[in-house]
Amino acid sequence: MSRTTDPGGAPRGARGPSRRIVLRTAFTAAVAGGTAVILLPLRDHEPGTASAPAKGPGHPAAGTEEFAEMYRGREIRGSVTVLVPAGGPGAAEGGAAEPVTEIRIDGRPLHVMRRADGTYLSDVTHYESFPTLRETARAAVDELGTARLALPASHHR
């Protein structure tokens, strides 16, 4: 028996694709499908809408969160704005989008930090984190009670 035929007498290439080829094809299809799913939101936007021109060193991207409300007699305002370098993603060295968070309680700024898991914590509720900026602001108001936030050191002159 020759090496180019299998025990049934058919040539080796005639029995179908090998396991390696099937797995490679499945992996390639999965990578292509995953890439398409990730890039789809970039393509899905209203036709005829143009993006606003960049202002200054960066411009706000679509991923923003804003709120303004009265909570327990206190005015709270908050925003998360994602700044993208003006020239696009590769404009600056390490040109990643930079989120900027801000909360104001009765017009006074509350320092807020974003944790690695995506939650927020503030100077007032430093040992507790919250999933949204609004919940962080409300928790700070709850903790402050009737006290007011101190102004930053630069305002005390």
Side-chain angles (χ1 to χ4, degrees):
M1 191 182 309
S2 84
R3 296 181 142 203
T4 59
T5 60
D6 62 3
R12 282 189 184 222
R15 65 175 192 210
S18 69
R19 179 177 177 205
R20 178 179 289 172
I21 292 173
V22 170
L23 289 174
R24 186 181 305 155
T25 304
F27 176 76
T28 303
V31 168
T35 303
V37 167
I38 290 171
L39 294 178
L40 187 62
L42 296 176
R43 187 179 172 280
D44 283 347
H45 65 279
E46 294 290 323
T49 58
S51 60
K55 298 174 184 141
H59 60 281
T64 61
E65 172 188 345
E66 287 187 42
F67 66 91
E69 69 179 9
M70 290 298 288
Y71 179 73
R72 296 194 177 195
R74 310 291 284 273
E75 178 190 16
I76 58 174
R77 292 181 180 273
S79 65
V80 176
T81 307
V82 179
L83 294 179
V84 178
E93 193 66 31
E98 178 183 335
V100 177
T101 58
E102 179 181 44
I103 292 180
R104 291 191 174 269
I105 299 175
D106 294 331
R108 294 178 178 224
L110 172 67
H111 181 68
V112 179
M113 296 162 279
R114 184 145 192 180
R115 296 173 42 113
D117 64 359
T119 59
Y120 298 96
L121 58 92
S122 71
D123 281 347
V124 175
T125 57
H126 199 78
Y127 296 107
E128 193 174 359
S129 58
F130 302 91
T132 65
L133 208 57
R134 182 183 306 251
E135 289 180 44
T136 305
R138 287 178 175 177
V141 168
D142 292 341
E143 188 70 27
L144 284 170
T146 59
R148 294 187 66 177
L149 280 173
L151 289 173
S154 61
H155 287 78
H156 287 295
R157 293 180 187 182

